[in-house]
Amino acid sequence: MGGEIKIISGSAHPALAKAICGHLGVELCPSTTVRFSNENLLVQIDENVREADVFVVQPSCPPVSEGIVELLMTVDALRHASARRITAVVPYFPYARSDKKDRPRISITARLMADLLETAGADRVLTMDLHSPQVQGFFRIPADQLQAAPILCDYLQAHRDLSNHVLVASDVGESKEIGAYANRLNLPIAVVDKRRDGDDENARATNLIGDVEGRIALIVDDEIASGGTLMEATRFVLDRGAREVQAACVHPVLSGKAVEKIESSPLRSLVVTDTLPLPSEKRIEKIHVESVAKLFAEAVKAIHTGSSVSRLFR
């Protein structure tokens, strides 16, 4: 790919963008986002990007809708500034859970997000651990999905004695994805059979497939939002004889009172990544953050040079 690499950060997670720049040995490309009193935005790229290979870093986090619009405006501004190629780096993809038409007259919003990025002018997308594999198929432009399992597993192997652990999927839908962790850590799997009524984020565990008695349960999920599923799974495996409960997840959404729930719960520890910003008030002692910046930097370099991204999956 001709042209130099330029990394631009939206307002969502500048710390991750700067960390990616640090691993690449480049400076963050300056840009300005102005919020007017009528809640309109203005995005301006503050240096020449003509013929550059540009990567825009903007995960989906509150305020979600404003962040999406800012990302689309940045991509559009780069297109009109004659950037040679534009890659939207979206570590946590917006509306990834809205991936199917499971009730009448609703939007499959994850597909809509893919369409909007393409329409704005993105040439490709780089993301991490989509909630469902089919979301990658919503894109008509190249979309690379990185996996956090190697990073989380490396941390767990280095900092835990896993000889008496059992991996626990917090619901049946997560049981397939947890296989990547089981293969790397060489651990058995148990699955919590969970039922959810409506959209109130309150899940009810009804059965446990597998054995956790006398063992340390390690609950793995792709994201933690309100914390209700994690708290229910923690209580459930302890009731089924687990000696201790730990957890790991990729995307720490941690909305509402999730942090307070975790802090007051019997959950011993939670390992997350920095695909989303975690403000200081949420960085409690139980939560440890592993960075994905190096992996994203390696992916950016691979995309720029035309080398394999799949090799990064290890």
Side-chain angles (χ1 to χ4, degrees):
M1 181 71 187
E4 60 180 317
I5 293 177
K6 288 189 179 289
I7 308 293
I8 291 179
S9 175
S11 302
H13 201 349
L16 178 60
K18 290 176 183 177
I20 292 171
C21 287
H23 287 290
L24 290 170
V26 301
E27 294 292 326
L28 190 66
C29 179
S31 64
T32 301
T33 300
V34 178
R35 290 166 176 80
F36 296 105
S37 59
N38 63 356
E39 299 189 8
N40 284 191
L41 298 179
L42 179 146
V43 175
Q44 181 174 10
I45 313 304
D46 293 333
E47 69 179 37
N48 180 30
V49 294
R50 187 177 296 273
E51 295 302 308
D53 192 11
V54 186
F55 296 80
V56 184
V57 181
Q58 180 84 332
S60 176
C61 60
V64 172
S65 297
E66 183 174 299
I68 293 168
V69 172
E70 183 186 12
L71 173 59
L72 297 174
M73 292 176 68
T74 304
V75 170
D76 184 64
L78 289 165
R79 176 60 61 204
H80 290 283
S82 300
R84 178 174 293 190
R85 182 172 64 183
I86 305 163
T87 301
V89 181
V90 193
Y92 180 59
F93 194 74
Y95 289 95
R97 287 183 176 270
S98 180
D99 59 353
K100 56 189 176 294
K101 196 171 193 289
D102 55 0
R103 64 184 67 188
R105 299 173 296 282
I106 65 167
S107 167
I108 304 176
T109 318
R111 177 202 44 78
L112 175 61
M113 294 298 106
D115 290 346
L116 287 171
L117 282 170
E118 181 182 2
T119 301
D123 295 293
R124 64 187 306 133
V125 172
L126 177 62
T127 186
M128 174 170 272
D129 284 276
L130 293 167
H131 180 63
S132 302
Q134 63 262 30
V135 174
Q136 195 166 5
F138 293 163
F139 295 93
R140 288 185 292 264
I141 56 177
D144 295 302
Q145 179 187 194
L146 300 178
Q147 298 172 354
I151 294 171
L152 293 173
C153 288
D154 284 352
Y155 174 82
L156 291 168
Q157 287 175 317
H159 296 86
R160 302 281 192 278
D161 176 6
L162 300 176
S163 58
N164 194 35
H165 279 59
V166 55
L167 288 170
V168 177
S170 57
D171 59 36
V172 175
E174 189 66 26
S175 59
K176 185 176 181 180
E177 300 303 319
I178 206 175
Y181 293 84
N183 290 335
R184 292 177 186 278
L185 300 175
N186 193 28
L187 291 175
I189 295 175
V191 180
V192 175
D193 180 13
K194 173 187 81 174
R195 309 296 165 88
R196 188 188 300 276
D197 299 321
D199 294 322
D200 58 2
E201 298 187 347
N202 293 320
R204 180 172 54 88
T206 59
N207 195 24
L208 181 68
I209 305 165
D211 183 23
V212 299
E213 188 170 358
R215 309 191 73 166
I216 298 174
L218 176 58
I219 300 172
V220 177
D221 210 337
D222 63 322
E223 70 173 73
I224 297 173
S226 68
T229 294
L230 177 61
M231 295 302 97
E232 178 69 4
T234 298
R235 179 197 63 76
F236 199 68
V237 295
L238 286 172
D239 288 346
R240 296 304 185 276
R243 195 178 80 195
E244 180 183 309
V245 184
Q246 303 169 3
C249 86
V250 181
H251 307 300
V253 179
L254 301 179
S255 55
K257 296 184 178 180
V259 173
E260 290 89 335
K261 291 178 184 177
I262 291 168
E263 190 164 32
S264 62
S265 76
L267 182 72
R268 181 62 62 89
S269 64
L270 170 63
V271 184
V272 302
T273 76
D274 60 349
T275 56
L276 291 166
L278 198 65
S280 57
E281 62 269 19
K282 292 186 177 183
R283 290 181 178 263
I284 62 174
E285 189 175 347
K286 284 186 178 182
I287 298 177
H288 173 81
V289 182
E290 281 290 292
S291 180
V292 296
K294 183 178 180 181
L295 181 58
F296 272 95
E298 290 173 349
V300 166
K301 188 181 298 183
I303 291 169
H304 179 70
T305 60
S307 56
S308 172
V309 175
S310 61
R311 66 181 173 81
L312 302 176
F313 298 163
R314 287 191 281 152

